[in-house]
Amino acid sequence: MTGMKNKIDFALVVYVEGANPNGDPLNGNRPRTTIDGLGEISDVCIKRKIRNRLQDEGQRIFVQSADRADDGMKSLKDRAEPVMKKCGKDVERFVQEACAEWFDVRAFGQLFAYKAGGADGVSVGIRGPVSIRPAISVSPVNITSTQITKSVNSETKDKKGSDTMGMKYRVDHGMYVIRGSINPQLASKTGFSDDDAAILKDALRTMFVNDCSSARPDGSMDVVSMVWWTHSCPLGQYSTAKVHDSLKVVPLNDDPRGVSDYSIAVEDLDGLKYEML
């Protein structure tokens, strides 16, 4: 398999206004926050949005949402089974075939532990080269709660049934930062290429396109800036932590309420190239 030539680090600055970027099912679906009151979007949520965007662009995706399945398969096992049968007990061939078949497998990796037709199967973990950290807001976020009621009957009745009470939550204003990296050593094992990196780059920049919902109205979440660092070698000229720390997103006042209330800048690291989009 061929892979990438140089290490890549990236970061996205995302502005949220009047949306629930990632509800916590263990807390009534309130927006996730840290113990310090900072907003949080889990890495799993971010990868879901990336997968959906890649799928929109015609890429084959293994971990598809049930309501977005485009291949007629009803489970991950159903999707993996044809490749398992094709490869038999040859695990190395299965890894190659799975990575070639599905973009998200060669990017994020995947744990396969399935039986093919109730007999021979596969149990193998694939480590992907693309790692993404949970997004954390720059400043503490204010969460607004809205009580909602139902104005129609769910079932046919002679008279109007009792109103059903519920809650909706939104982050009023918040600037979040997503950080990630692409490892060339792992890319060489999955076949993730420089062309794949370019496709991922575009998916990251447009990850909120076609992502609207009741919790996230169109335009309520936006990638306002993206930084793409390209090292000159596979190991990287600097550590990922140092590269990510060179992005400075700073509130300009005590109560930031818009993109213009933040300063976004990148400190130069000697010899390290970057694009700011």
Side-chain angles (χ1 to χ4, degrees):
M1 293 181 180
T2 59
M4 295 169 48
K5 297 178 181 178
N6 302 317
K7 181 182 176 182
I8 292 173
D9 291 307
F10 58 86
L12 292 88
V13 183
V14 176
Y15 189 67
V16 176
E17 183 177 15
N20 185 346
N22 185 199
D24 184 352
L26 298 181
N27 192 23
N29 208 42
R30 286 174 57 89
R32 294 180 189 271
T33 56
T34 68
I35 194 171
D36 299 317
L38 300 175
E40 180 179 7
I41 307 174
S42 72
D43 59 313
V44 175
C45 175
I46 295 167
K47 289 177 182 178
R48 176 74 273 151
K49 296 180 189 300
I50 295 171
R51 284 184 167 101
N52 289 349
R53 191 66 191 131
L54 290 167
Q55 193 176 356
D56 288 342
E57 294 299 318
Q59 298 297 323
R60 292 184 61 79
I61 299 299
F62 180 69
V63 183
Q64 300 181 22
S65 295
D67 60 342
R68 293 176 59 98
D70 58 13
D71 55 8
M73 301 299 179
K74 297 182 178 180
S75 68
L76 296 181
K77 179 185 175 183
D78 289 348
R79 193 165 291 125
E81 201 163 68
V83 179
M84 288 191 290
K85 290 181 177 179
K86 178 181 178 181
C87 300
K89 295 183 179 181
D90 190 338
V91 173
E92 184 175 348
R93 183 187 175 194
F94 173 81
V95 171
Q96 293 179 343
E97 293 282 350
C99 289
E101 180 76 9
W102 298 294
F103 189 103
D104 57 332
V105 174
R106 64 179 179 272
F108 304 129
Q110 182 66 34
L111 174 62
F112 292 91
Y114 311 110
K115 290 184 177 181
D120 293 335
V122 64
S123 181
V124 60
I126 300 174
R127 290 183 63 192
V130 181
S131 60
I132 295 178
R133 293 163 58 180
I136 303 296
S137 68
V138 176
S139 305
V141 295
N142 181 59
I143 299 174
T144 296
S145 305
T146 303
Q147 193 172 48
I148 57 176
T149 62
K150 183 182 68 173
S151 61
V152 297
N153 291 334
S154 298
E155 299 178 1
T156 303
K157 296 179 180 179
D158 293 333
K159 61 180 181 178
K160 182 177 179 292
S162 59
D163 292 336
T164 300
M165 310 300 289
M167 299 295 295
K168 285 187 69 175
Y169 305 95
R170 68 177 184 269
V171 171
D172 292 330
H173 308 276
M175 189 72 87
Y176 293 68
V177 180
I178 301 171
R179 297 176 173 88
S181 183
I182 310 178
N183 182 301
Q185 286 75 28
L186 294 175
S188 67
K189 298 180 183 298
T190 68
F192 191 88
S193 66
D194 287 321
D195 289 341
D196 288 330
I199 293 171
L200 176 66
K201 180 181 179 182
D202 186 63
L204 287 165
R205 289 180 62 242
T206 61
M207 76 160 68
F208 299 114
V209 173
N210 200 27
D211 185 56
C212 60
S213 69
S214 174
R216 300 179 304 280
D218 233 343
S220 62
M221 297 185 66
D222 184 39
V223 177
V224 298
S225 187
M226 177 175 175
V227 189
W228 191 264
W229 292 273
T230 303
H231 296 253
S232 62
C233 58
L235 292 178
Q237 296 153 264
Y238 300 92
S239 70
T240 293
K242 185 169 184 177
V243 173
H244 285 162
D245 285 345
S246 70
L247 171 63
K248 306 297 183 182
V249 184
V250 181
L252 300 176
N253 55 59
D254 294 334
D255 186 24
R257 289 177 173 268
V259 176
S260 60
D261 290 331
Y262 292 85
S263 168
I264 304 173
V266 179
E267 293 182 351
D268 288 330
L269 296 174
D270 187 33
L272 181 60
K273 297 180 180 180
Y274 71 88
E275 298 175 77
M276 193 166 184
L277 308 169

